[in-house]
Amino acid sequence: LLSACSTDAVSDFKTPSFMKKGLNAIIPLSEETEESAPVGKHEPTPAELVDANGACVAAGSNSAPAATAPTFEMSECSVVQLLGPPQKIEIGANELGDRTAVMYFSKGQRPGIYRFTDAQLKSIERIGEPAAPAKPQKPAKPTKQAPLRRAT
């Protein structure tokens, strides 16, 4: 952009103050910054986590959440408080080292596979959906039968 301007226009160009101070003035690079969590990364608290049995880890995590259905970003413990203990749970870590949990609920009103990353609900895969009610069948019309004949 500046190369298209005449040399007089370039000489009139004023450098913004943040550029004079350098990029480090805006984003300081230090050992502390490099080791801190990426922007927007959620660090789970004990109150949000469940153990290998599907129970809330922290004592005092017994208050029920305000939601009536699981919502994305809800904590592991909040989902368990809402739906009850899962029938199966898998706790591990992904390739980035983030905590992962997969809870399987086969009973209740919201059966499904609930996937968490860093204690936050990221996806729900519904399973065991109740079948749609069958349409009522109309009674069959009586068929006309031929009159019985006597054998002679």
Side-chain angles (χ1 to χ4, degrees), residues 50-56 76 79-81 83-90 102-107 112 114 116:
V50 296
D51 63 17
N53 297 318
C56 293
E76 296 171 11
V79 171
V80 168
Q81 290 169 345
L83 301 179
Q87 282 67 54
K88 181 180 173 186
I89 185 167
E90 297 171 359
V102 180
M103 294 185 205
Y104 300 86
F105 294 90
S106 58
K107 300 175 184 175
Y114 293 73
F116 298 81

Side-chain angles (χ1 to χ4, degrees), residues 53-96:
N53 297 318
C56 293
V57 171
S61 317
N62 297 326
S63 61
T68 57
T71 58
F72 293 110
E73 306 303 318
M74 187 178 266
S75 73
E76 296 171 11
C77 191
S78 295
V79 171
V80 168
Q81 290 169 345
L82 187 64
L83 301 179
Q87 282 67 54
K88 181 180 173 186
I89 185 167
E90 297 171 359
I91 297 175
N94 64 16
E95 61 280 353
L96 300 174

Side-chain angles (χ1 to χ4, degrees), residues 37-60:
V39 175
K41 180 172 169 62
H42 176 75
E43 291 296 328
T45 64
E48 297 175 302
L49 303 175
V50 296
D51 63 17
N53 297 318
C56 293
V57 171

Side-chain angles (χ1 to χ4, degrees), residues 3-152:
S3 65
C5 300
S6 70
T7 55
D8 293 336
V10 172
S11 63
D12 291 341
F13 178 76
K14 304 237 187 239
T15 305
S17 61
F18 73 88
M19 292 180 89
K20 290 179 186 175
K21 294 177 185 175
L23 195 54
N24 283 341
I26 300 169
I27 306 171
L29 297 177
S30 67
E31 291 178 26
E32 185 178 320
T33 305
E34 290 173 6
E35 294 177 13
S36 62
V39 175
K41 180 172 169 62
H42 176 75
E43 291 296 328
T45 64
E48 297 175 302
L49 303 175
V50 296
D51 63 17
N53 297 318
C56 293
V57 171
S61 317
N62 297 326
S63 61
T68 57
T71 58
F72 293 110
E73 306 303 318
M74 187 178 266
S75 73
E76 296 171 11
C77 191
S78 295
V79 171
V80 168
Q81 290 169 345
L82 187 64
L83 301 179
Q87 282 67 54
K88 181 180 173 186
I89 185 167
E90 297 171 359
I91 297 175
N94 64 16
E95 61 280 353
L96 300 174
D98 301 324
R99 175 191 165 99
T100 60
V102 180
M103 294 185 205
Y104 300 86
F105 294 90
S106 58
K107 300 175 184 175
Q109 293 196 339
R110 302 198 186 285
I113 301 170
Y114 293 73
R115 298 179 192 279
F116 298 81
T117 302
D118 283 336
Q120 291 185 320
L121 182 58
K122 298 298 181 184
S123 72
I124 302 170
E125 182 182 331
R126 301 289 288 198
I127 58 172
E129 293 280 331
K135 293 182 181 178
Q137 298 278 336
K138 292 183 181 178
K141 293 183 181 179
T143 58
K144 293 184 181 179
Q145 295 181 354
L148 296 175
R149 295 188 185 182
R150 289 189 196 185
T152 51

